[in-house]
Every structure is written in C-alpha cells, then in structure tokens.
Amino acid sequence: MTGRPPPRLRVTALAALLLLLAALPAAAQTLPTGRDAAESLRFPRLEFTPVEAEQHRIEGVEVIFARDPALPLVNVFARFRGGYARMDRDFYAAATALPTLLRSGGTTTLTPDSVNALLDFHAIQLGFGTGGSSSVSSLNTLTEHLDAALELWTDILRNPRFDPDQVEVWRGQELERVLRREDNPTGLAFSEFNRLMYGDHTIGWEMAPADLEPERLTGDVLSLVHGEIFCRDHLILGVTGDVSWREIEPRLRAILAEWPACPRELPEPPPPDIRREAAVYLIPKALNQTTVVLAHPGGIRQEDSRDYYASRIGNSILGGGGFSSRLMARVRTERGYAYSASSLWTAPSESEGLIGAVTQTRAGSTVAAVRTILEVMQEMVDERPTREEVSDAIDEIVNGFVFNFEHRAQIVSRQMFYVAEDLPANWLELYVEGIQRVTPADVRRVFRRHLRPSDMTILLVGDLEAFDEPPESLGPLRILEPGAPVPPR
C-alpha cells in the first residue's frame, strides 16, 4: 500500500497512543521538555588530566619526549637558539634564506633532486622556518622508515650543499617580493610601522635590495651563518609518536655525539628603543581605503604577574576579542566606518611591546575612524569594564584551554618553546590560573598605568585628498617615504 493511510488506521493509531499515555505513571507524563529538560541534566564532574611530556638531556641537549602509539608515525622537532635577530645586518639575508635553502639546496653528498626522490620514496615530510631569534625544523615519518628519515634529516641540517642555482632562485624571488612590497597597502603599513617604531633594530628590519646583493649570499657566507646557528649547543629536540624512549634514546645519542659544537654563544638582541611620539605619519597612496595603524610602547612583558594577565583580558575587551570587543562594536556595528577593527598589546618576554589598534576604513571616514578608536581607548582608561565583559573574556580563554592538548606534538613543541624562552614548564597552567584571577579593577588599573591615547604614533596609508578631515587635526603630520630612513626619535 502506498500513499496516505486510510483515516480509520490513523484514528486507531491515535487511540493506541492515548491508551499508552494513560497507562504511564503521572510522574512520567510530567517529565520536563525543551530547555527545562536540558537544564535538568546532571553529569559527573569532568576531570581533565593533561598528558605530561618527559624531559631528558643527551650530550648537553634538552630533549622533550611523549609517546603516542595511536598511529605508526613519529615526529621529531628541532629548535635552535639562533636566527637573523642574533646576527649582524650584513648576514640578514643569509640567515633569512637558510630555512628555504636547507630544504631545497641538497647536501654535500646528495643533489636537490636526490633529496626530493628520497623524501618521496619514504613518504617523509620536512619543515623549516625561522622566527628571528630562533630557527626550527620538523620531521614526520612512518615508524618503519624512522632510521632512513633521521639519517636524511640530520644530513640536511648538518651538511647543506647550498646549491648555487637554488640560492639564485631564492634571491630572485625575495628581490621580487621586496620590489612589489608597495603593491600591498596592508603589508606596507605593518612593515613601515615596525620600521618607524623600532628603527634600526632587528624587530624593525625590512629586507632591502642592498641586503640581497650576490656577495651577501655566497656559499662561504651561508656556510658561516649555518655553522653559527645550526650547532649542538643551540639545539633543543622534541620527539613524539609511535616509538618508546628506550628505542629513540640510542638513535638520538648517536646523532648528537657527531653534531658539531657551536663556535660561540650568539648574543641576545639588545632591548629596542621604541619610538615615543604623538604624531601622524602618512604614506600617500591613491586608494579608496585607508589602512590605519596606531600604537605606543605597551609597558608589559610576558611574565607571571597580575598586570600581565590583566593586559591579556583588557586587550580582549578592547579589540582582541573579535565581534564581542568594544572596537568592533563601536567602529563597525554602531558607526559603520570599517568591516573590522582590532587592538594589539604585544608582550615579549625580553622587553616591552606595543599597545595600539589597526583598521581599514574608506578614505572619507579616515579621521573619524581614528577618533573613534581613541575615544574607545580613553573609555578603557576612565572606566572599569563590566563584570560580564571580564567574565566572558576569561571564559573564552579558559574554555579553549583543553585545545592546547589535542595532540602530543602540540605538547612537546610548546614545552620546547618554554625551555627556549626560560619559562616554567607549567607556564600554560600558570597562565590559565592567572587569567582566572583577573578582576574589572585589575583591567582598569593596567589601562590607567599603560595606555595613553593622546600619545599614539599614528600611521595612515591612503589618499590625503579624499580624507574627511585634515590629518593634522590628530597631531603633527609628517610624510613617510617607504624604505627611506625613518625620522629620528
């Protein structure tokens, strides 16, 4: 039979349902439904016990280890205390190029094509990168290919070829990127603002054609820089995956015993002399949109202190919390000046960072958007945030805590970062506990102590002729030429 059932059958089914309900106890007929049912649910208290990585030392090298037999894979991570930020400016290009050239340039016994063939044959994945003061590499391999993968990976790290053709490819690509930097207004604004605030400090360095002259990328120069950075005394290792410590320890010991020692300890970058000037800088560009970046020294370092934790919550409320932040509510939702507006409050461990904001707005609302940002900042100085704002910002961080432990590779790589930055091994737990103690009074205190809206250095990249008001109404105006020496402090 197809189609709708006859009316007699439907009545019969309904009668049966009514008889069944009548037979149920009265309590069952009054069970909560909908939201009441959801709110009446009770569960045992959740107990979260994160995986703890083991810490070992081999040949003077810290090794962070966590076994993970879920898949037949092994990950190995290497972190070196060294990068362009610890070198003279003459070696800026060479130190920046090293990660790419290690991967593409072959080894002293293997051509680049041979390296690629071995990686493909054994299904090995390699990664290389640099963060300024550090250089990193990673290896992912099937457990059955671990020995072959370790041999190839360490050969690349210790005995790079620096193939001249690959060096020239990198140099050409980087030179093209430098020459086209002004084509990207947002990237230009950020790079020029860094130069403006930090001057001739490693944080403010931007690659220039002079850095990319062939004599700064010769094989001798690259080998010198490589030997200064990729040496044993600067190394921290991490291992996770389908291998036991008993199995991996002798392999690592054999590798590290042959790894060259460092010729010297690379110096720490000096503390930056950050610009402290209430002024407006303009990079003229005939654009419909203006990119706005404004900031001043932030006064906060990454440390276990009440002000540090309050600054994290305060930044989230001001503009770091996305659509729930005050800058987004005022600049985007209420006044429609921009699609997005966000704040920044950087906090390096070795020095203070910056506090400020960024946005992109149509040229005809440039000055109005900046004024609105400054108004919101002043409100954060003058008034406490609400308890709800603080509570929501805390919940966002705490509720995301568990996602720091999704994979053992996350745990190991984070622990390596703590070792490199001289942070406590339980820094993440300290961070969450400190965040949970922040109060509205703490947030207001840290803003009153460190935020001065009237002292902002403001950079505008846009069309002066299309601005809604003269930018001089925000402060003294100076024209900034990209790549030219920045004005003295």
Side-chain angles (χ1 to χ4, degrees):
M1 179 184 296
T2 60
R4 297 177 59 188
R8 181 176 62 81
L9 292 179
R10 293 204 306 273
V11 171
T12 301
L14 178 61
L17 178 60
L18 292 172
L19 289 172
L20 178 61
L21 290 173
L24 290 174
Q29 297 181 39
T30 59
L31 288 174
T33 60
R35 179 173 179 175
D36 292 336
E39 292 180 345
S40 68
L41 295 174
R42 297 292 180 268
F43 300 95
R45 180 180 176 82
L46 290 175
E47 295 293 338
F48 175 61
T49 305
V51 174
E52 293 187 4
E54 302 172 19
Q55 196 159 338
H56 303 271
R57 180 176 284 270
I58 301 176
E59 299 289 337
V61 175
E62 294 284 345
V63 182
I64 313 299
F65 172 78
R67 188 173 189 184
D68 183 7
L71 294 171
L73 297 171
V74 177
N75 294 289
V76 187
F77 307 96
R79 186 183 185 93
F80 296 85
R81 296 185 184 92
Y84 68 79
R86 297 174 185 259
M87 312 291 289
D88 293 337
R89 180 64 188 249
D90 290 345
F91 302 113
Y92 178 38
T96 303
L98 277 179
T100 300
L101 296 179
L102 287 173
R103 172 59 187 87
S104 65
T107 75
T108 54
T109 57
L110 294 170
T111 64
D113 287 345
S114 298
V115 169
N116 291 334
L118 287 170
L119 293 175
D120 290 342
F121 180 78
H122 293 290
I124 301 169
Q125 293 183 337
L126 300 182
F128 297 87
T130 180
S133 290
S134 62
S135 300
V136 297
S137 183
S138 62
L139 159 69
N140 176 272
T141 180
L142 291 165
T143 308
E144 63 180 297
H145 296 159
L146 178 58
D147 288 326
L150 283 173
E151 181 180 359
L152 179 58
W153 184 57
T154 55
D155 189 28
I156 291 171
L157 287 172
R158 290 195 310 217
N159 307 302
R161 173 188 291 257
F162 298 128
D163 181 81
D165 291 339
Q166 295 299 322
V167 173
E168 189 57 29
V169 167
W170 182 88
R171 194 180 78 86
Q173 291 174 339
E174 192 69 10
L175 185 60
E176 184 70 14
R177 188 189 68 81
V178 169
L179 296 176
R180 291 184 175 274
R181 185 163 58 211
E182 293 189 37
D183 296 343
N184 180 351
T186 304
L188 177 65
F190 292 152
S191 64
E192 289 300 306
F193 192 79
N194 272 343
R195 286 202 321 120
L196 185 64
M197 298 302 287
Y198 292 102
D200 189 23
H201 187 275
T202 57
I203 300 175
W205 284 355
E206 285 293 331
M207 196 72 73
D211 294 312
L212 296 167
E213 291 295 329
E215 60 267 21
R216 295 196 173 187
L217 288 164
T218 64
D220 289 342
V221 172
L222 290 165
S223 295
L224 173 65
V225 176
H226 171 265
E228 294 265 15
I229 296 174
F230 289 85
C231 47
R232 188 179 61 216
D233 304 305
H234 294 160
L235 175 60
I236 302 169
L237 279 175
V239 181
T240 182
D242 183 28
V243 64
S244 68
W245 177 248
R246 182 178 60 82
E247 293 169 324
I248 195 66
E249 190 267 345
R251 290 176 166 96
L252 297 181
R253 189 171 297 279
I255 290 170
L256 294 174
E258 298 180 0
W259 209 299
C262 294
R264 64 176 177 132
E265 182 67 26
L266 292 176
E268 293 282 348
D273 178 20
I274 306 176
R275 183 180 296 273
R276 302 170 188 271
E277 176 190 28
V280 181
Y281 290 86
L282 172 68
I283 298 177
K285 286 283 182 183
L287 301 168
N288 294 327
Q289 272 197 326
T290 303
T291 301
V292 179
V293 186
L294 55 106
H296 66 58
I300 293 291
R301 299 186 182 198
Q302 183 181 25
E303 59 185 1
D304 185 19
S305 71
R306 200 169 188 90
D307 274 10
Y308 170 72
Y309 300 124
S311 72
R312 303 305 91 192
I313 296 300
N315 183 55
S316 179
I317 295 170
L318 173 60
F323 286 97
S324 63
S325 69
R326 291 191 179 187
L327 283 180
M328 282 288 279
R330 189 76 58 82
V331 175
R332 172 185 163 130
T333 307
E334 294 181 15
R335 301 190 181 175
Y337 290 147
Y339 179 78
S340 68
S342 60
S343 64
L344 57 95
W345 199 341
T346 59
S349 58
E350 67 279 358
S351 64
E352 67 176 328
L354 299 175
I355 180 171
V358 298
T359 191
Q360 284 185 306
T361 183
R362 63 184 183 277
S365 59
T366 298
V367 176
V370 174
R371 289 191 191 282
T372 301
I373 291 172
L374 296 175
E375 287 171 7
V376 176
M377 287 181 168
Q378 191 61 51
E379 290 171 5
M380 296 298 298
V381 174
D382 295 337
E383 305 168 7
R384 290 185 183 184
T386 66
R387 289 193 174 277
E388 183 179 11
E389 286 178 308
V390 173
S391 177
D392 287 347
I394 291 173
D395 287 346
E396 182 179 0
I397 293 174
V398 173
N399 290 340
F401 178 73
V402 68
F403 297 110
N404 291 288
F405 300 89
E406 288 186 285
H407 310 290
R408 284 171 173 78
Q410 286 178 299
I411 299 169
V412 167
S413 59
R414 185 174 60 249
Q415 198 71 37
M416 292 170 64
F417 173 77
Y418 296 161
V419 171
E421 296 294 317
D422 295 322
L423 292 169
N426 64 336
W427 169 250
L428 190 58
E429 290 82 355
L430 290 175
Y431 180 80
V432 173
E433 291 170 4
I435 288 293
Q436 290 177 305
R437 292 194 296 267
V438 174
T439 66
D442 292 332
V443 174
R444 188 194 179 196
R445 184 191 70 252
V446 79
F447 272 118
R448 292 188 68 181
R449 183 176 295 174
H450 297 290
L451 178 59
R452 303 175 304 280
S454 60
D455 290 344
M456 289 286 167
T457 299
I458 303 169
L459 175 64
L460 309 174
V461 179
D463 187 355
L464 176 62
E465 300 300 321
F467 287 177
D468 48 332
E469 293 182 52
E472 293 92 334
S473 61
L474 299 170
L477 178 64
R478 299 180 183 179
I479 304 301
L480 191 64
E481 182 181 347
V486 297
R489 287 166 175 73

